Structure formats: structure tokens, C-alpha cells
Amino acid sequence: MRDGSGDRLVAKLHEPAEPRRGLVVLVHGLTGCEDSFYIRVSTQYWLSSGYAVLRLNLRGAGPSRPLCRLHYHAGRSADLRDALESLRALAPQLLNRGIFLVGYSLGANLLIRFLAEEASAFPVVAGACVSAPIDLKAAQRRIMDSRNWIYHRYLLARMREEALAAPVPLSEDERNAIYSAASVYDFDDQVVAPANGFTGADDYYARCSGLRFLSKIVCPTLAVHAENDPWIPAESYRHFDWTANPALSLAMPRAGGHVGFHAQGSDFTWHDQEIGRFFALAAAQ
């Protein structure tokens, strides 16, 4: 990585039997990795459509964990930039047909920042964001609603597990911060923020929320979000003027939950098919 940390990311590359289109890079969400179910399902869809696919593990996620001192967060888009730079150096032919980027949940928020600040350095044709927490503070409040207490408890346990799996010994203060965090907000405030130069959780949310970057995106980008997403308020999407930036498109069906847009009678999800149509149109322009 460019930051001199010595961290390395792991990714899995798949090429279709008959490559006809570009490279799709899939970016997982919070506590996810290359083997997350939605990543594996999407990989099959894109391969069947003639795209090469790169399943990227963010810094400290999945197979990247033993190789990273630091950890991904909602605004660490420079890691995606560094991964694409490495790919360009190692296999430039993969980029010849263009890059298509798909992010999920927290990875989608990270992708929005990348599209706004870094995409112009690469042959990015289009991007897509699925269930992105574009207002991180609003998402934190929703996740901590009493109705979401089971998921909140599960998510916090996964976040703690990831943090404790660091390849280098943690200090006593770091361990205490991880164990004492009683909520996602506490974890972001006591663990994520100090490790990444933020003054606290609210500073982290304010500086990294995708809403700050949407207006700066210039390549075709589709945002997919369900009105009934239990963890990310639809109001975050309704209060943004999507017509103000011609590069942006919004697909917001009433149902679909969080990264759960199943398509009746199909082996592939509705969001994959919708993004596939969007990418095909972008490539034809």
C-alpha cells in the first residue's frame, strides 16, 4: 500500500471462458470478505454475462487480515485505488475493456468516495452502489434502534472479532477499547476513530459519509437501495437531489431489505440484473 504500512490486500480473480466485456470489481461490506454470500452470487452473475471478476478483500478483511496491521473503514477509498494500481501493473490487459465497480453496504460508501476522488485515474466505465449507508450517522442510529437489537449485537460481535484478529499484538489500551465497546457507536468512537485520525465517531461519520461525495462523481453511477432496508434509512436517499448530477441514477424499490433484492424465478438477484443493464448502457455510450 502507498501509505508505507507494509499492508497487502488479497483478491481473487476470475476470467470467463469467453471474455466479451470488461472487469467487474466487487467490494464487500462491513465484516464481509470475498466469500460473503452476496459476493459469490454476484460473481456467478457477472461471469455468466462475459465479464472478468475481481473479488477484493478490503484491508484487514478475510484473507487480507493476516497481512494487514491497519483496517478498512467507510472512507478508506485509497485502498481501492492502490489495488487497481497494482492490478494495472500486474495484468494491464484486464483493464483494456474497462473497469466496472460494484460496492455493497459499507463497501458501497467507500466506493462512492473513490468514484468522486480517484476514478479519473483509471478506465472506469461505470459504478454501482448497493445499500450504501450514505449518511453514516443516520445508519448508526437506525442500527441501534431497539427493533434491531439482535442484528446490532451480532454486528458488534463480528466487528470485535475482526479487530482482535490483528496480525500484530494489540496494546492493553486497544484491547480494553475493543472489549468495552457496548455499541456500534462506541466501537467507532473508541476503536475506529482513534486508529484513523478522527476525533471521534461523529467526526468519522461526518467526514466519510457518501452524501459528501455524490455531487463530485462524473462517471455513470447507479445507486440501488430499498425503501424497507431495516438498517439504512430511505430518508437519506430521499433528501438528496439525484437530478442535480446527471452522472447519477437511483433505483429505489419498495422492497429488497439490505442487499437482499431477490428476483422471483431467477438464479440471480434483481440488483445484479439491474446493474447489468446499467453497465451495458454505460459501455455503449
Side-chain angles (χ1 to χ4, degrees), residues 68-81:
C68 298
R69 298 168 63 89
L70 302 177
H71 206 267
Y72 67 90
H73 62 72
R76 187 160 252 155
S77 57
D79 288 358
L80 176 55
R81 174 203 66 204

Side-chain angles (χ1 to χ4, degrees), residues 124-173:
V124 176
V125 177
C129 306
V130 182
S131 302
I134 56 175
D135 183 337
L136 292 168
K137 182 63 179 179
Q140 172 257 310
R141 288 195 183 111
R142 176 62 61 84
I143 286 172
M144 290 177 59
D145 278 354
S146 57
R147 70 171 186 170
N148 287 324
W149 73 270
I150 294 177
Y151 175 71
H152 177 245
R153 185 175 63 181
Y154 166 80
L155 181 62
L156 182 60
R158 292 290 306 277
M159 293 167 69
R160 185 179 289 123
E161 180 183 354
E162 270 193 345
L164 291 171
V168 294
L170 297 169
S171 69
E172 184 177 352
D173 286 344

Side-chain angles (χ1 to χ4, degrees), residues 3 6 13-14 26 37 104 107 121 135 188 193 198 200 202 214 225 233 280:
D3 55 22
L13 177 66
H14 307 265
L26 303 178
F37 178 74
Y104 303 86
D135 183 337
D188 288 340
F198 303 107
D202 290 324
L214 285 169
H225 188 69

